[in-house]
Amino acid sequence: LTLLDYRLYGYNYLKRSVKDILPRWGQVIDLRYVNSPFQEEVIGDQKVAQGVLYLPGILRHQSIKLKGGWMVQEPEDYILSNMVSMPRGYQPLRSKKFFRASVDYVFPILYPDLRIGPVFYFKRLRGNLFYDYGRGRDIYSVSNGDVDWFDDDFLSMGMELTTDFHFAQIMFPINSGIRLIYLPDENKTKTEFVFSIDLDRF
């Protein structure tokens, strides 16, 4: 199968200071269209629109991140994986329609500026409070060989505690830590490991 992914991506950021975690003001728009022009009778297409809005927090160097995403696809014999991610704590799924909205409040906690030889430089300890909501329509499910389509809502909330550091004098900052997630619909708590590398600074 041959898939073509057409994408229009644009952003506008207010330049960050050294202590800013996210931009104090900014916008992102991401439009995508995926299809299989040589196997249209096998795979349909998927349309995706996502956006991000950055706002300043209550105190300096704190940020609010608002994100929304919408996806619709018209499958044929096969259905594509959703290109709009699930709320944190849920496994990916496939559906004909999906909407997600999230809000993050990101804030610094401590700046230790601790160096351990040439190997580690601990720059910052940060926190994040988040709330995610997702709504899926015509979700694809297979049970005992039978295909089922159903609708469902997904809700999660929680916090992240991570540290920004440099390893082995690599110029790109690394962020890692833990994420604590509460799923109110299931009355369940989950813990995940967080790891990312910030390439936006360069």
Side-chain angles (χ1 to χ4, degrees):
L1 299 176
T2 302
L3 295 176
L4 295 183
D5 186 349
Y6 313 87
R7 188 173 191 181
L8 177 64
Y9 182 89
Y11 65 90
N12 174 45
Y13 291 156
L14 185 65
K15 187 175 180 180
R16 288 182 284 177
S17 70
V18 176
K19 289 189 175 183
D20 286 339
I21 301 174
L22 298 176
R24 289 186 294 116
W25 176 254
Q27 308 85 33
V28 179
I29 185 169
D30 188 4
L31 305 176
R32 300 178 73 175
Y33 176 72
V34 177
N35 73 338
S36 181
F38 309 110
Q39 295 97 12
E40 291 183 348
E41 71 283 356
V42 179
I43 294 182
D45 59 15
Q46 184 170 162
K47 306 174 187 71
V48 181
Q50 298 189 88
V52 179
L53 177 63
Y54 294 101
L55 300 171
I58 299 174
L59 302 177
R60 292 184 63 188
H61 312 304
Q62 298 182 354
S63 299
I64 300 171
K65 177 183 177 183
L66 304 175
K67 183 175 182 179
W70 170 83
M71 178 230 69
V72 61
Q73 63 174 316
E74 300 174 4
E76 296 295 339
D77 293 340
Y78 296 97
I79 184 169
L80 299 172
S81 298
N82 288 4
M83 297 177 66
V84 174
S85 60
M86 290 287 290
R88 280 161 278 200
Y90 288 96
Q91 295 297 319
L93 54 75
R94 302 180 183 197
S95 64
K96 293 183 180 179
K97 296 180 180 179
F98 192 78
F99 167 80
R100 178 189 171 180
S102 65
V103 56
D104 291 70
Y105 192 90
V106 182
F107 53 94
I109 299 175
L110 184 66
Y111 289 89
D113 286 331
L114 177 63
R115 183 180 299 277
I116 302 178
V119 181
F120 282 100
Y121 169 63
F122 292 94
K123 176 182 178 181
R124 172 174 51 209
L125 182 67
R126 67 158 105 164
N128 178 26
L129 304 176
F130 67 85
Y131 180 92
D132 293 348
Y133 171 75
R135 183 180 181 91
R137 293 296 174 260
D138 291 323
I139 300 171
Y140 176 78
S141 174
V142 177
S143 178
N144 298 323
D146 297 326
V147 176
D148 185 31
W149 302 88
F150 66 97
D151 301 340
D152 204 354
D153 294 342
F154 307 90
L155 182 64
S156 69
M157 60 189 73
M159 64 176 298
E160 298 174 357
L161 185 64
T162 61
T163 180
D164 295 326
F165 64 93
H166 291 266
F167 175 72
Q169 298 184 350
I170 297 174
M171 64 186 301
F172 300 109
I174 300 172
N175 176 258
S176 68
I178 60 171
R179 175 186 295 146
L180 183 64
I181 308 169
Y182 175 61
L183 308 178
D185 292 338
E186 303 177 14
N187 194 23
K188 182 175 18 177
T189 302
K190 300 178 65 175
T191 302
E192 295 179 349
F193 175 70
V194 178
F195 180 86
S196 65
I197 300 177
D198 185 4
L199 303 178
D200 292 338
R201 294 278 185 175
F202 307 95

